[in-house]
Structures are given as C-alpha cells and as structure tokens.
Amino acid sequence: FCATPLGRPHCEAGRVRVLRVNETESLGPAFARYLASKLWLGEQFYVQIDAHMWAVERWDDDLREALRAAPSYPNVVMSAYPPGFSESGSWKRSTKGTGKLCAATFSASVVEDGIIRLGSGPVSGPPEAAAPEPPRSVYVGAGFFAAHASFLGKAPFDPYLPFVFMGEEILLSTRFYTNGFDVYAPRASLFAHQYRPGRMGLPKFWESTDRTFGGGGANTRFQRLVIKRVKHLVGYPNYEDPATLVHVHDKDGPNYGMGSVRTLADFHDMAGLDMV
C-alpha cells in the first residue's frame, strides 16, 4: 500500500484515518466494525482490535511475518484473546503464545439468549507445527484478529447487526471458514487488553444504549431481536424470522451470509458443534 501512488503520501506523512461517532448515534460494536471497515483504502492487511488495548513495538512487522508464514496464506486469519493488562502496567511481550480459540459453549444466560460463546485453550504444550508456521486454531475472536484484507470483498462486515455483542464472534468464525480462510493463533502475545474498563472510569457500550433510550436493559431488549439474524446465519434451527433476514445476500449487493468455498455443516463438524 505504501508503495502505491495512492498510499505513499499518507504513509510518508504518518497519517491515520479516524471516524468519530457521537455516543447517542452509536449502535454497538458489530456496527462499529462495519463503519471502521469503510476506512480501508487498499492496504494489504487488516487488523481489528478492541478499545483499551496495548501493543508491543513493531507489532505490525511481527504480524505480517506470522500471517505470511501460514500455509494457507493469503487465505488466513490470525486471532486470540489477548492477555489482560493491569493498571500497574504488569504486562510485556510473551513468547508463550496466547492460547488457541478452540473451545465453545452454548451460553446458559438469559441475557445472552443461548448464543455460542468462545473460549481459549491452554497456552502451554507443544505447537502443532515448527516455527515460524503458526499453530492452527478454530474460532475468530472479535477483540483481536489480523487477516489478509482480501476478506473484505468476500465476507464484508454486516451493517444489519445493531446492538449485537454476544454472537459477533461465532458469526465471524463461520463466515471466514465458509469463505475458505483458515484460522491460526499467534505464537507470541503482541497485544494486551484491559478487560475491566470500569476500573478506569470507562463505560460499557450497553450503558450508552441505556442512557440514550432511557432505562436499564434497553440494549438487552434490542439485542434479543437482532440476535435472531445471527442465529439463523450460523445454523440454529427455527430462527427464520423474515424481519431479521433482509439483505443477507442480495443479487445486486454484498453477501453478508456464508461463503461458498466450504459449507456451514463442514464448520459444525470441524468445530464439534451440535446445533440441534
């Protein structure tokens, strides 16, 4: 990108692109990912991280090398749950790895409406492949993933997921897989995340929703409507609500559903998910 006539002046000037959205106009993290993806200007790689993140120096160089070392490059996505970061700054680069996102459970929480939740495996143990090849994983976490930017044309972010929080990751995972992308875990921890922003005096996004619409629980009520779209797409039975399934795959528009390289049933088998 930086070698092209389009990108060179921006790179040489050290510019970044920023989209600012007022709290009252925000519609949750999944919709924010969609807006952020519209800032893409042809860069070769795409990285998504949450707020309240820290990174080691030269993280971008390390990520590029790791992605290119994957056998399925450029059809590759690298993801993990970053380690936690304390207010005292007790985090540094770790070569132990971050754990593979290989575990998943159906949430028993009424608020989360039975959606699939991801979990990470152990950070120790022998790697599946010799370095520098990264170890294979199963799921894509929304708080950190890096991929070849070609995925934006094959599995673009869905703008019809306002207020969705739980459910974003299983949808990412299935759409990457069915579009032919393999998931890997990084060998080193390049990022850290503050998982308790309330301790820093920072709000959660659902608090913004409650303030905007007045009264507690507003975001939960909205999410339980929209999550039907996610459940149908990832293979839950009996979730074919026409009101939530518009513009999944329009003939003259983007495909916000599954890809055609591999089937959703293949993903369920690979991940060991029983959707019944």
Side-chain angles (χ1 to χ4, degrees):
F1 173 76
C2 290
T4 66
L6 176 64
R8 185 180 299 112
H10 299 292
C11 295
E12 291 177 350
R15 298 186 184 119
V16 295
R17 296 183 289 282
V18 178
L19 175 64
R20 302 186 186 278
V21 178
N22 190 280
E23 179 188 33
T24 58
E25 298 176 319
S26 62
L27 296 173
F31 186 72
R33 321 284 197 198
Y34 167 79
L35 294 179
S37 72
K38 294 305 177 182
L39 299 177
W40 180 68
L41 202 59
E43 292 86 347
Q44 186 175 4
F45 299 100
Y46 192 97
V47 178
Q48 174 173 295
I49 59 173
D50 272 345
H52 324 309
M53 300 278 281
W54 287 259
V56 301
E57 292 185 6
R58 302 183 65 85
W59 61 268
D60 48 346
D61 290 334
D62 289 352
L63 267 181
R64 279 193 293 265
E65 291 178 7
L67 289 168
R68 288 175 173 143
S72 59
Y73 178 83
N75 295 325
V76 54
V77 54
M78 185 165 290
S79 185
Y81 285 158
F85 184 94
S86 71
E87 291 82 351
S88 62
S90 59
W91 174 79
K92 60 183 179 180
R93 177 194 294 261
S94 170
T95 57
K96 293 181 179 180
T98 53
K100 308 173 206 175
L101 290 174
C102 295
T105 58
F106 291 86
S107 175
S109 168
V110 175
V111 172
E112 296 175 357
D113 206 23
I115 198 63
I116 295 171
R117 297 198 60 162
L118 308 189
S120 60
V123 299
S124 59
E128 293 184 359
E133 182 180 325
R136 287 291 303 271
S137 189
V138 176
Y139 297 103
V140 178
F144 158 64
F145 77 77
H148 193 275
S150 59
F151 87 90
L152 290 169
K154 302 173 182 177
F157 288 90
D158 188 348
Y160 298 101
L161 298 174
F163 312 111
V164 166
F165 181 61
M166 302 307 301
E168 180 186 12
E169 295 179 320
I170 187 60
L171 186 55
L172 279 173
S173 302
T174 53
R175 296 187 68 212
F176 268 114
Y177 180 88
T178 58
N179 277 284
F181 282 71
D182 293 329
V183 186
Y184 295 83
R187 286 184 172 275
S189 298
L190 304 178
F191 298 91
H193 182 45
Q194 172 51 267
Y195 288 95
R196 297 290 183 267
R199 298 175 183 174
M200 303 170 64
L202 301 172
K204 300 288 184 69
F205 86 91
W206 50 80
E207 297 173 17
S208 299
T209 308
D210 291 344
R211 281 193 294 274
T212 300
F213 291 94
N219 190 82
T220 298
R221 293 193 295 273
F222 295 149
Q223 175 173 272
R224 294 191 72 179
L225 293 174
V226 183
I227 202 67
K228 296 177 182 178
R229 179 181 180 92
V230 176
K231 286 187 167 184
H232 171 73
L233 290 174
V234 303
Y236 283 69
N238 304 318
Y239 274 93
E240 298 180 0
D241 185 349
T244 62
L245 297 180
V246 295
H247 305 306
V248 171
H249 194 180
D250 295 337
K251 292 182 179 179
D252 57 348
N255 175 20
Y256 298 126
M258 298 297 117
S260 58
V261 178
R262 295 183 287 209
T263 69
L264 184 59
D266 287 341
F267 175 85
H268 294 157
D269 290 342
M270 181 272 297
L273 292 175
D274 184 355
M275 305 304 294
V276 180

